[in-house]
Amino acid sequence: MENISSPDESPDVGYGYQPSPSSVDDQSPTETTGFSTLSGYSFAYCRTNSETSAFSEHTDENSWSETGSPMSSRGMKSPTRAVLSRLGMRQHKTIADDPETIDLELELMKERFSKLLLGEDMSGGGKGVSTAVTISNSITNLYASMFGQHQRLEPLHPDKKIMWKREMNCLLSICDYIVEFVTTSQKFQDGTTVEALTSRPRSDIYINLPALRKLDAMLLEILDSFEATEFWYAEQGSMSSNSTRAGSFRKIIQVQPQPQRKEEKWWLPVVCVPSGGISEKARKHLRHKRDCANQIHKAAMAINSSILSEMEIPESYMASLPKSGKASVGDSIYRHMYSAEKFSPEHLLDSLNISSEHEALELADKIEASMYTWKRKTCMPQSKSSWVMVKDLVSEDRTDKNHVLAERAESLLFSLKQRYPELSQTTLDTSKIHFNKDVGKAILESYSRVLESLAFNVVAWIEDVLFVDKTMKNQEE
């Protein structure tokens, strides 16, 4: 079988991914979470903070070396935990030079194999989650362990980088055995032609997995490019008198024309620049890497959205839909969607004055629920395929009221997600991930989600530096 590209290969300079998070958000020191903390002006919810990850243990900043493996037990001490910790800290050595590595790798494989079979149910009572959810949780928790406390624009710690590549390579190797059978013609020397079934990687994995590996390598390369910088970080409260203090903030690049800052988050490191700002060369480097990371974020977001759209809608979600779409979205939004001859989702969003991501997420859930309510009323197929395929399958009258409202709700939801690219997973997305049984889709969805989060964080860290540089430069003028 064809070997899908290695995650260790050097990424190309060109960023050719043009399709259109999200990010793990800040958590206060009093909040324990299994997900990453990012610097910047961001909201309280994130795409990686999904309910499907509630089956796995949490991490803190002092425990990454002990919980580097996403397969560590929850609520109990594993006898192989020390082994995993030692394995994560080891430098690269050949097996021939270090026979002890064989035993360590074997213990790691036993641990991983056991967790997958048990479905994270350490009691062995058969009440564990599905294999797909287990692997999704493993990728999410591995990301949290490796990047959860990485809050600066600097290379990832070498040991963490080694562990990230090795653990992800092991988890992604499952895709090597997810194949589909196709008919091929084989011609023999005597001229006879015989049709035979041959296996090849499943089409969604064949297309998306190499792209995700490439995006992964490119993000690590971006972080590695900031080893020697003209800026530095200081903990708040320990700033020198000649350095500029700037609180953490998040900027929505495509929506807000100017950076916006919210309250200080004192537990995050603060960017410092020299008097007069950084050099023009360093400034150009930051802008170039920001643009690259932004394109990576769009590509990962597009892949994640595509995979989620192909997942089956759970029956429990359909059963929970309101009987009336109007009751879900409210009278004001319903009147605007129903009465307007030329519906403008952007104009409607502007009139709502959404002040936080929490409000945006609640609105997204309501719009999505009403959309499926109207679709159900028009007997539109609840398809696993993309929206375009759904529209092609519809044969009802295009002027039907419920059909028009469903289409307008769909466009409104799309505009809302474009306006808030870091929007957390909706109730439907979380439900799809939780009830998904397809291991291949689980891997692609979780891998694209954590890369989307990392890319969003990188853009935020670069924006932090550029904002402080601009502030210092204006002060000098």
Side-chain angles (χ1 to χ4, degrees), residues 97 200 240:
D97 293 338
R200 68 179 183 186
S240 61

Side-chain angles (χ1 to χ4, degrees), residues 249-439:
F249 68 96
R250 168 69 67 234
K251 173 187 174 184
I252 302 176
I253 301 171
Q254 296 178 337
V255 178
Q256 303 290 353
Q258 297 295 332
Q260 293 188 358
R261 297 172 60 192
K262 285 197 172 182
E263 67 278 2
E264 299 280 346
K265 294 182 172 61
W266 53 266
W267 63 90
L268 297 176
V270 180
V271 180
C272 303
V273 298
S275 177
I278 60 178
S279 65
E280 185 61 29
K281 180 180 178 181
R283 198 173 294 116
K284 288 182 179 180
H285 177 72
L286 283 166
R287 290 169 180 165
H288 172 66
K289 295 302 180 183
R290 178 193 60 188
D291 295 340
C292 293
N294 194 35
Q295 290 300 316
I296 295 173
H297 174 259
K298 289 180 179 180
M301 186 176 179
I303 294 175
N304 185 264
S305 299
S306 174
I307 299 300
L308 281 172
S309 68
E310 294 175 357
M311 289 184 179
E312 185 175 0
I313 301 174
E315 291 295 332
S316 59
Y317 178 82
M318 298 301 299
S320 68
L321 291 177
K323 294 182 179 180
S324 170
K326 178 181 177 181
S328 178
V329 296
D331 291 339
S332 60
I333 296 179
Y334 177 80
R335 283 196 302 268
H336 191 100
M337 295 175 64
Y338 180 66
S339 60
E341 294 184 3
K342 293 184 178 180
F343 176 67
S344 173
E346 295 296 335
H347 177 71
L348 176 55
L349 291 176
D350 291 337
S351 66
L352 295 177
N353 297 321
I354 302 172
S355 60
S356 68
E357 190 207 4
H358 181 67
E359 293 182 5
L361 182 62
E362 285 185 346
L363 179 60
D365 281 333
K366 293 177 180 178
I367 295 172
E368 199 163 44
S370 63
M371 179 180 68
Y372 279 98
T373 299
W374 288 320
K375 282 179 180 288
R376 183 170 57 183
K377 287 184 177 181
T378 56
C379 298
M380 295 175 69
Q382 313 299 335
S383 176
K384 305 176 186 179
S385 59
S386 64
W387 298 122
V388 176
M389 295 181 65
V390 169
K391 292 175 183 177
D392 292 340
L393 291 171
V394 175
S395 59
E396 278 77 9
D397 183 6
R398 311 297 284 190
T399 61
D400 178 79
K401 181 187 75 171
N402 289 319
H403 174 78
V404 172
L405 288 171
E407 284 194 330
R408 290 183 175 183
E410 181 182 338
S411 64
L412 180 60
L413 181 63
F414 178 79
S415 298
L416 182 63
K417 290 183 177 181
Q418 288 293 313
R419 179 168 294 203
Y420 296 92
E422 76 284 18
L423 194 66
S424 177
Q425 290 168 328
T426 62
T427 301
L428 176 58
D429 291 341
T430 303
S431 181
K432 282 183 175 182
I433 296 171
H434 180 72
F435 289 98
N436 172 54
K437 304 298 182 182
D438 190 312
V439 174

